[in-house]
Amino acid sequence: MNQTTTVLTEIVAFILGRKYYANIIHTRGTNKCEVSSFIFRSKQEAHAHRNALESNLSYKFVETVSFRSRHDYSKLTTYSK
C-alpha cells in the first residue's frame, strides 16, 4: 500500500481488484480486432496511446475498455510515447 491511497481504497482493491484500461485496435487490411499489448492504470494514459495510434498506418483505434484485476499490472513496464 502506498501513501496516496486510503485504507478503504485498498480494501476495495483487495475485494474487487484494481481498475485498469486497455485499447482495442484493428489491424488495417484485415478483419482482425484485438486488445493492445499495453495495460494502463489511468484513462489519460490510454487516451495518450490512442492519440499515438492516429499516426500509425498499421493499426486503427476502436475503443478503450476498462476492467478490474487483482493482479498488480503497475509493476510491469509502462507505455511511453
Side-chain angles (χ1 to χ4, degrees), residues 11-12 14 17 19 49 54:
I11 292 171
V12 170
F14 178 76
K19 192 168 190 177
H49 181 246
E54 289 180 3

Side-chain angles (χ1 to χ4, degrees), residues 21-23 35-40 49 77-80:
Y21 299 89
N23 287 330
V35 176
S36 169
S37 60
F38 299 106
I39 295 174
F40 305 101
H49 181 246
T77 306
T78 58
Y79 169 78
S80 60

Side-chain angles (χ1 to χ4, degrees), residues 6-74:
T6 64
V7 173
L8 182 61
T9 303
E10 291 301 319
I11 292 171
V12 170
F14 178 76
I15 295 171
L16 300 175
R18 297 188 188 282
K19 192 168 190 177
Y20 296 100
Y21 299 89
N23 287 330
I24 307 289
I25 56 174
H26 172 259
T27 305
R28 295 180 192 247
T30 68
N31 291 335
K32 200 161 113 175
C33 285
E34 56 196 1
V35 176
S36 169
S37 60
F38 299 106
I39 295 174
F40 305 101
R41 291 278 315 207
S42 70
K43 192 176 262 190
Q44 292 79 17
E45 292 174 358
H47 285 298
H49 181 246
R50 176 185 75 182
N51 293 338
L53 289 173
E54 289 180 3
S55 63
N56 191 315
L57 298 178
S58 299
Y59 301 104
K60 178 182 173 189
F61 170 80
V62 176
E63 75 176 303
T64 299
V65 294
S66 64
F67 64 96
R68 291 193 171 269
S69 175
R70 289 189 181 144
H71 182 64
D72 188 4
Y73 290 104
S74 64

